[in-house]
Amino acid sequence: MKALILALLSAATAVAHAQTLDVFESHGNMHYAMVPTDKAQDTQYLERAAYKFCQDQNKGSCRVKIWSDSLDKPTGQPHHTRYDDNQLAEYMRGYGGATEGILFNCKMVKNASRCYQR
């Protein structure tokens, strides 16, 4: 019985952890975030984590730019353009008629199907 309870608690903790972003800087409704390196290619993880973060903000619009934690963190707004090439994804909700969702930098996230061009 103890083993079952521990397994359920471990699974719940993994699910909760799987839906978090390390948001390290915010400018109004614009947020910069990092994800663990081992999750950088997981499109479902990136989308769920950004969705959950924006849902928890309780604001109309939310925009999250996501990088891998193996890279140095961009700072300031606007950040230096060198960070655009290393950005994994960008999630938007409620920006001037833009559809809620995520687009990926397909140069960085190789298995993504919804890409943006830089």
Side-chain angles (χ1 to χ4, degrees):
M1 185 65 157
K2 283 183 184 179
L4 177 61
I5 293 171
L6 287 174
L8 290 173
L9 286 173
S10 294
T13 302
V15 168
H17 177 69
Q19 297 179 351
T20 60
L21 291 174
D22 175 18
V23 176
F24 60 88
E25 189 170 331
S26 294
H27 302 278
N29 291 336
M30 169 71 79
H31 310 280
Y32 296 170
M34 297 291 234
V35 295
T37 304
D38 65 333
K39 299 294 185 186
Q41 298 299 311
D42 186 340
T43 58
Q44 291 178 347
Y45 175 93
L46 296 171
E47 187 165 20
R48 281 191 317 265
Y51 172 83
K52 182 177 181 338
F53 174 80
C54 283
Q55 185 180 34
D56 291 347
Q57 295 303 299
N58 294 323
K59 296 179 182 177
S61 61
C62 180
R63 187 172 179 181
V64 182
K65 294 185 173 201
I66 305 169
W67 289 267
S68 169
D69 66 6
S70 64
L71 303 170
D72 60 335
K73 295 178 179 180
T75 57
Q77 188 179 15
H79 55 265
H80 192 278
T81 55
R82 74 182 171 105
Y83 293 106
D84 291 338
D85 291 338
N86 295 329
Q87 184 178 323
L88 297 174
E90 187 165 343
Y91 180 88
M92 290 192 293
R93 181 186 76 194
Y95 266 84
T99 305
E100 178 174 348
I102 193 165
L103 292 175
F104 299 95
N105 176 353
C106 288
K107 291 179 182 175
M108 296 293 291
V109 183
K110 301 298 183 195
N111 63 336
S113 61
R114 293 171 287 169
C115 306
Y116 60 78
Q117 300 294 323
R118 291 266 181 218

